[in-house]
Amino acid sequence: MAAMDIVLTTIPLPGEAIKYLENHGFQARMVSDMEEETMARAVALLCWCMGDLDLLSMIGKLRGLRAIQTFSAGVDHLPFNAIPPHVAVLSNAGAYSRPVAEFAWSLVLALAKGLNGTTPNRSAYISSPYSKPYLIHGKTLMVFGTRGIGGEAARIGKEGFKMRVIGINRSGAPAPGIDEVHPSTDAPRLAGRADVVIVSLPLTKETRGIIGRDFLSNMKDESILVNVGRGEVIVEEDLYEELKRRPGIRFGTDVWWNYGSGESVMKTKTGLHSLPNVLGTPHIAGGATYSDEVSREVIMSAVTNVVKFLEGRDARNLVNRSEYV
Amino acid sequence: MAAMDIVLTTIPLPGEAIKYLENHGFQARMVSDMEEETMARAVALLCWCMGDLDLLSMIGKLRGLRAIQTFSAGVDHLPFNAIPPHVAVLSNAGAYSRPVAEFAWSLVLALAKGLNGTTPNRSAYISSPYSKPYLIHGKTLMVFGTRGIGGEAARIGKEGFKMRVIGINRSGAPAPGIDEVHPSTDAPRLAGRADVVIVSLPLTKETRGIIGRDFLSNMKDESILVNVGRGEVIVEEDLYEELKRRPGIRFGTDVWWNYGSGESVMKTKTGLHSLPNVLGTPHIAGGATYSDEVSREVIMSAVTNVVKFLEGRDARNLVNRSEYV
């Protein structure tokens, strides 16, 4: 029997994934078990490509590599310049839609009801700009990003809370279940219509700093902004100033500007993380590293997608490198 | 022109409500403006009947009174023994469905994602039993109370988060949009199926202490219990013991056991309010006293309902006193 092509992985795959690969003629092997022969036969690499792997030091040895498929939704952390042009990069966008959209909604509702600033003093609770409850039902939701996480966040707003949904994407192309979609250039003009804004954009050259003073200054005095995409999509200094100036604007975020790592990920140079109208969490929305059910979905999504690519079928999330470098 | 029948109110009504009453032949008058003549012509009384009115001292003078209509959803605080039997009592159940169901969901999601115990330490966050994120999508929701608040909470769970919904009510009679309904006597047996339990029951003789050890001990190790009905529906001591014993059960509540009033409403004799798996708010879910939009809906609901009653049409929420005394 001829040796099967190898798909490398940085994390142990569940039996279901190994079986799927075998059924399609591929053998799963851990990067940590790599020998010269393994490397030569590796056609694809599955990785977080963050702490789990030093891609720079090994990429040269993977001479047969055709694709890198990340477990993560974002790929902005990849060393694109070191990856040969003939190696395709595939992200795992979409695999996190449910947990992350659900997490975004937990931030929206917690901020809407002032749960980050609870006090037993009822009159203080309902009169403080930081905790006065906002009603969401029937209001207007704006989503930055209309597929994957953004699409699912829009669906929850529409079906769960009967909101009108404005979608923002690059081209303004319509998206299923979203009432109206506009190109990102129009977002600042439309900001004043939104009661809730959910940002789920990946970080690319184009999205970096896409939400700045022009958008923020047009937001309603009592509105909610939640970011579950990437921190740098919002200009930190502009947001800090707006949150200081208008305490009725509440900001929730699971993603940061990366001035530190580990425990210090939530530190910010402006001190934004300490404002009373900010509710932050340390990049936990995805959940693949602590939830078995999310983990399974994330891994199977990555595995089935890379197999599609290797077989020349319609793979999702083929990354256009020019958006990143 | 003959003098119109008077509808007394303890709070100023918006023009819309005054107009509505006039169109139906009733004159709105504030209780604070009462004279002997006003009292004799009063056929109905609109009140919170809490701090806004000393009902005991005036009920004897309201000789023409046919109905007391509360602005509040619950009527458990009314001095039923002092209200003559021929005076109907009408509650405002249903008028708070949207804000309270939405509030219940803010507690559910905040607890599900550990937002009450955020820490910048990612590994501490995701490994603590008090903050480890739970996924809600597709799980099972149990609602105590299948109309009004319970019905709307069920709808949000089903449409927003694709949950299977088990309803609990007195008779087990089917309810629209709820997958299966069971009588309250079956609840303890079914407790183990629920990932999320939302309680929206009024306090009556029958519902007092309806959730006790037999129900709580059957709940899943990782599950969420939220109360937006009345505190005494749950047996405090039993809940305290279960929350101490099983830290993965998370409890959110807007209603309390009333050992104090004002700022001390959130105090409990067991100390339950200080447990790390508890998230509490001081009875603010309804929102009628701070939100103009809720207030309008609440007042119009009370006014239109009492007019229906006075005109002999189908009024809602006619209170069966035997449930309370």
Side-chain angles (χ1 to χ4, degrees):
Chain A
M1 180 175 119
M4 285 194 284
D5 282 343
I6 283 175
V7 171
L8 285 172
T9 171
T10 58
I11 60 170
L13 300 181
E16 180 184 7
I18 294 170
K19 188 91 188 163
Y20 184 90
L21 285 167
E22 282 175 358
N23 288 344
H24 288 79
F26 301 101
Q27 187 185 359
R29 291 288 287 275
M30 291 285 292
V31 167
S32 51
D33 298 338
M34 267 177 59
E35 298 142 22
E36 284 294 326
E37 184 233 16
T38 322
M39 284 191 269
R41 278 164 51 207
V43 292
L45 169 65
L46 294 158
C47 61
W48 295 101
C49 301
M50 304 186 88
D52 56 342
L53 178 78
D54 181 6
L55 191 59
L56 288 177
S57 75
M58 62 179 285
I59 188 81
K61 299 173 191 164
L62 299 166
R63 288 184 304 274
L65 198 67
R66 293 171 52 203
I68 295 173
Q69 165 75 56
T70 63
F71 294 118
S72 59
V75 293
D76 51 281
H77 57 289
L78 261 62
F80 282 103
N81 288 323
I83 301 171
H86 68 271
V87 175
V89 175
L90 299 146
S91 84
N92 206 7
Y96 298 81
S97 298
R98 286 177 188 176
V100 177
E102 190 175 297
F103 198 93
W105 267 98
S106 75
L107 290 171
V108 168
L109 286 173
L111 287 165
K113 307 306 182 184
L115 299 184
N116 55 318
T118 54
T119 160
N121 183 326
R122 186 177 188 279
S123 59
Y125 195 125
I126 64 181
S127 61
S128 162
Y130 307 120
S131 54
K132 175 191 165 189
Y134 299 165
L135 195 67
I136 295 300
H137 189 107
K139 301 290 178 65
T140 298
L141 167 67
M142 177 181 284
V143 289
F144 276 81
T146 55
R147 302 173 56 189
I149 297 164
E152 172 68 1
R155 188 196 65 72
I156 294 172
K158 186 147 200 69
E159 297 180 3
F161 300 100
K162 306 294 181 194
M163 302 181 86
R164 177 166 187 86
V165 184
I166 301 172
I168 303 291
N169 62 27
R170 207 178 331 196
S171 64
I178 300 187
D179 297 306
E180 46 182 297
V181 181
H182 302 270
S184 44
T185 46
D186 284 351
R189 182 174 64 76
L190 300 165
R193 288 178 55 201
D195 300 285
V196 176
V197 178
I198 295 178
V199 180
S200 66
L201 296 172
L203 182 63
T204 66
K205 283 193 296 185
E206 194 182 337
T207 64
R208 183 179 294 273
I210 202 170
I211 296 178
R213 190 182 315 274
D214 55 348
F215 182 88
L216 299 167
S217 63
N218 284 339
M219 285 181 72
K220 289 186 183 180
D221 280 342
E222 295 190 348
S223 60
I224 294 166
L225 174 64
V226 161
N227 191 3
V228 290
R230 283 291 180 268
E232 298 97 319
V233 164
I234 304 179
V235 181
E236 183 190 338
E237 292 77 7
D238 293 353
L239 178 58
Y240 175 79
E241 280 169 31
E242 206 62 38
L243 292 172
K244 284 283 279 186
R245 190 165 74 84
R246 293 198 288 161
I249 298 181
R250 300 173 186 173
F251 176 57
T253 191
D254 186 51
V255 291
W256 300 88
W257 290 270
N258 295 319
Y259 305 123
S261 62
E263 292 196 26
S264 62
V265 68
M266 280 172 65
K267 294 212 177 90
T268 57
K269 65 181 167 206
T270 56
L272 181 144
H273 60 287
S274 304
L275 293 175
N277 43 347
V278 171
L279 173 56
T281 50
H283 209 130
I284 58 164
T289 52
Y290 56 81
S291 163
D292 286 345
E293 55 200 333
V294 174
S295 177
R296 186 203 153 272
E297 189 164 328
V298 161
I299 291 174
M300 287 310 294
S301 165
V303 167
T304 54
N305 195 52
V306 80
V307 165
K308 274 189 187 164
F309 177 82
L310 294 171
E311 293 180 341
R313 294 184 285 135
D314 254 0
R316 290 174 300 114
N317 302 321
L318 186 61
V319 171
N320 177 354
R321 294 177 185 219
S322 69
E323 293 176 13
Y324 295 87
V325 288
Chain B
M1 181 176 120
M4 284 194 284
D5 282 343
I6 283 175
V7 171
L8 285 172
T9 171
T10 58
I11 59 168
L13 300 181
E16 180 185 5
I18 294 170
K19 188 90 188 164
Y20 183 89
L21 285 166
E22 282 175 358
N23 289 343
H24 288 79
F26 300 101
Q27 187 185 359
R29 291 287 288 275
M30 290 285 292
V31 167
S32 51
D33 298 338
M34 267 177 57
E35 299 141 22
E36 285 295 325
E37 184 233 13
T38 322
M39 284 190 270
R41 280 164 50 208
V43 292
L45 169 64
L46 294 159
C47 61
W48 294 101
C49 302
M50 303 186 89
D52 56 342
L53 178 78
D54 181 5
L55 190 60
L56 288 177
S57 76
M58 62 177 287
I59 189 83
K61 300 172 189 165
L62 299 166
R63 290 185 303 273
L65 198 67
R66 294 170 51 203
I68 295 173
Q69 165 74 58
T70 62
F71 295 119
S72 59
V75 292
D76 50 280
H77 57 290
L78 261 63
F80 282 102
N81 288 323
I83 301 170
H86 68 270
V87 176
V89 175
L90 300 145
S91 83
N92 207 6
Y96 298 80
S97 298
R98 285 178 188 175
V100 178
E102 190 175 297
F103 198 92
W105 267 99
S106 76
L107 290 172
V108 168
L109 286 174
L111 288 165
K113 307 305 182 185
L115 299 184
N116 56 318
T118 54
T119 161
N121 183 325
R122 187 178 189 279
S123 59
Y125 195 125
I126 64 181
S127 61
S128 164
Y130 307 119
S131 54
K132 175 193 166 189
Y134 298 165
L135 194 68
I136 297 298
H137 189 107
K139 300 290 178 67
T140 297
L141 168 67
M142 177 181 284
V143 289
F144 276 82
T146 54
R147 301 173 56 187
I149 297 164
E152 172 68 1
R155 188 196 65 71
I156 294 172
K158 187 147 197 68
E159 297 181 2
F161 300 100
K162 306 293 181 195
M163 301 181 86
R164 176 164 188 89
V165 184
I166 301 172
I168 303 291
N169 61 27
R170 207 177 334 194
S171 63
I178 300 187
D179 296 306
E180 48 182 297
V181 182
H182 303 270
S184 44
T185 46
D186 285 351
R189 183 176 62 78
L190 300 165
R193 287 179 54 200
D195 300 286
V196 176
V197 178
I198 295 178
V199 180
S200 66
L201 297 172
L203 182 63
T204 67
K205 285 193 295 184
E206 194 182 336
T207 65
R208 183 179 296 273
I210 201 170
I211 296 178
R213 189 182 317 273
D214 55 348
F215 182 88
L216 299 167
S217 63
N218 283 340
M219 285 181 70
K220 288 187 184 180
D221 281 341
E222 295 190 348
S223 60
I224 294 167
L225 174 65
V226 161
N227 192 3
V228 291
R230 283 292 180 268
E232 298 97 318
V233 164
I234 304 179
V235 180
E236 183 190 337
E237 292 76 6
D238 293 353
L239 179 57
Y240 175 78
E241 279 169 33
E242 206 62 37
L243 293 173
K244 284 281 283 186
R245 191 166 74 83
R246 293 197 288 161
I249 298 181
R250 300 173 187 174
F251 176 57
T253 191
D254 186 51
V255 291
W256 299 87
W257 291 269
N258 294 319
Y259 305 122
S261 62
E263 292 196 27
S264 61
V265 67
M266 281 173 62
K267 293 213 176 89
T268 57
K269 66 182 165 205
T270 55
L272 181 145
H273 59 287
S274 304
L275 293 176
N277 42 348
V278 172
L279 173 58
T281 51
H283 209 129
I284 58 163
T289 53
Y290 56 80
S291 162
D292 287 345
E293 56 199 333
V294 175
S295 177
R296 187 203 153 274
E297 189 165 330
V298 160
I299 291 175
M300 288 310 294
S301 165
V303 166
T304 55
N305 194 52
V306 80
V307 165
K308 274 190 188 163
F309 176 82
L310 294 171
E311 294 180 340
R313 294 185 284 135
D314 254 2
R316 290 175 298 114
N317 302 322
L318 185 60
V319 171
N320 177 357
R321 293 177 187 220
S322 69
E323 293 177 15
Y324 295 89
V325 288

